[in-house]
């Protein structure tokens, strides 16, 4: 029996990847116009992809949000051999933040799921590894600011996914047992496998049909896979 719905935000409800890639390219173009559009786009892709794992270190509490952001920008400078810029972080953020917020978009399947869960009388919560300030801005931009009974973020908790305490804390705030809480997220390990290990009913949202490795992991852990949030409606037993 499902009594609560717990959702990831970035790349589950909103297209964070597209917004980050665009904003990263905009910031790179403003700081290093001579580098050219191809490199600007590559910088945006790398900034989102975070191959250095700095966001994971923020999630685990090793870095503050500001330290994480600074490390990602420094990574761009090193990898793409970009010239030194005065007040680099401040100028990057001044260019990046408004571009990101201007490009935040809800996925088309987000509102139908939220509306169906509300109709079904489920408590709805949000569990994200992002910072509370940015999370609030995303919710306001997308019209979701009044949707969630609970919004749990990395900085308000002091730890984030995949730590089981993050899932248990959010369930407690929702007033639902983990095994009565349906959790949906787009990352196979940080979201789906971690939620499953924490005792929640985990579903993996895979918007990339080519992620065969992720599909194999989901199958190995007995985790249902959906390619759209519309597919979750049947799991909620609502029309």
């Amino acid at each position: 029996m499902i009594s609560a719905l717990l959702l990831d935000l970035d790349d589950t409800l909103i297209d964070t990847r597209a917004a980050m890639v665009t904003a990263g390219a905009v910031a790179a173009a403003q700081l290093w116009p001579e580098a050219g559009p191809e490199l600007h786009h590559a910088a945006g892709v790398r900034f989102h992809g975070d191959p250095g794992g700095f966001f994971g270190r923020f999630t685990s509490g090793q870095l503050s949000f500001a330290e994480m952001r600074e490390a990602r920008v420094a990574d761009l400078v090193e990898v793409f051999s970009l010239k030194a810029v005065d007040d680099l972080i401040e100028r990057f953020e001044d260019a990046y933040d408004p571009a990101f917020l201007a490009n935040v978009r809800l996925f088309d399947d987000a509102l139908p799921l939220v509306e169906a869960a509300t109709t079904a009388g489920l408590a709805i919560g949000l569990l994200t590894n992002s910072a509370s300030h940015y999370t609030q801005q995303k919710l306001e931009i997308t019209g979701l600011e009044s949707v969630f009974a609970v919004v749990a973020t990395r900085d308000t908790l002091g730890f984030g996914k995949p730590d089981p305490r993050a899932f248990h804390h959010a369930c407690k705030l929702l007033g639902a047992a983990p095994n009565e809480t349906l959790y949906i997220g787009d990352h196979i390990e940080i979201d789906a496998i971690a939620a499953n290990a924490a005792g929640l009913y985990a579903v993996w949202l895979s918007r990339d049909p080519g992620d065969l490795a992720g599909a194999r992991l989901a199958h190995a852990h007995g985790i249902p896979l959906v390619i759209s949030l519309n597919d979750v409606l049947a799991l909620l037993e609502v029309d």
Side-chain angles (χ1 to χ4, degrees):
M1 176 67 178
I2 299 298
S3 62
L5 175 64
L6 187 60
L7 297 165
D8 173 53
L9 178 62
D10 296 301
D11 292 318
T12 295
L13 299 179
I14 66 174
D15 191 352
T16 303
R17 181 187 186 282
M20 287 188 70
V21 170
T22 298
V26 167
Q30 289 196 28
L31 271 71
W32 302 285
E34 72 284 352
E38 186 173 331
L39 188 146
H40 298 154
H41 177 72
V45 171
R46 185 175 180 89
F47 186 80
H48 169 265
D50 187 27
F54 302 113
F55 190 79
R57 293 171 64 187
F58 161 69
T59 298
S60 64
Q62 299 175 57
L63 295 176
S64 68
F65 188 88
E67 289 169 337
M68 177 272 296
R69 178 66 69 86
E70 184 173 354
R72 289 169 85 161
V73 175
D75 173 73
L76 297 182
V77 172
E78 179 180 356
V79 169
F80 295 107
S81 301
L82 299 169
K83 69 178 183 182
V85 174
D86 292 337
D87 302 318
L88 172 60
I89 301 304
E90 181 179 353
R91 291 176 61 185
F92 185 92
E93 291 185 345
D94 286 346
Y96 177 89
D97 287 351
F100 174 81
L101 294 173
N103 284 279
V104 169
R105 299 287 185 273
L106 269 180
F107 285 112
D108 291 340
D109 53 7
L111 282 180
L113 173 62
V114 168
E115 291 168 355
T118 301
T119 299
L122 300 182
I124 310 174
L126 191 72
L127 177 61
T128 174
N129 279 347
S130 187
S132 57
H133 173 67
Y134 286 100
T135 298
Q136 184 61 34
Q137 288 183 307
K138 296 170 193 175
L139 296 180
E140 290 173 357
I141 289 169
T142 55
L144 295 177
E145 68 271 22
S146 61
V147 166
F148 303 102
V150 168
V151 176
T153 63
R154 149 65 183 85
D155 50 343
T156 56
L157 292 176
F159 47 82
K161 302 173 288 186
D163 192 317
R165 294 177 299 168
F167 296 98
H168 293 162
H169 179 77
C171 288
K172 183 177 181 180
L173 293 176
L174 280 170
N179 63 357
E180 296 179 350
T181 303
L182 173 62
Y183 178 82
I184 306 166
D186 69 291
H187 196 290
I188 181 59
E189 295 176 332
I190 292 173
D191 286 314
I193 293 177
N196 182 61
L200 286 72
Y201 179 29
V203 173
W204 180 44
L205 172 65
S206 176
R207 296 190 183 276
D208 177 9
D211 189 354
L212 300 181
R216 286 192 292 269
L217 278 173
H219 179 74
H221 287 82
I223 296 172
L225 183 160
V226 297
I227 61 173
S228 166
L229 292 175
N230 292 328
D231 298 333
V232 180
L233 301 183
L235 300 176
L236 297 177
E237 299 182 350
V238 296
D239 298 322

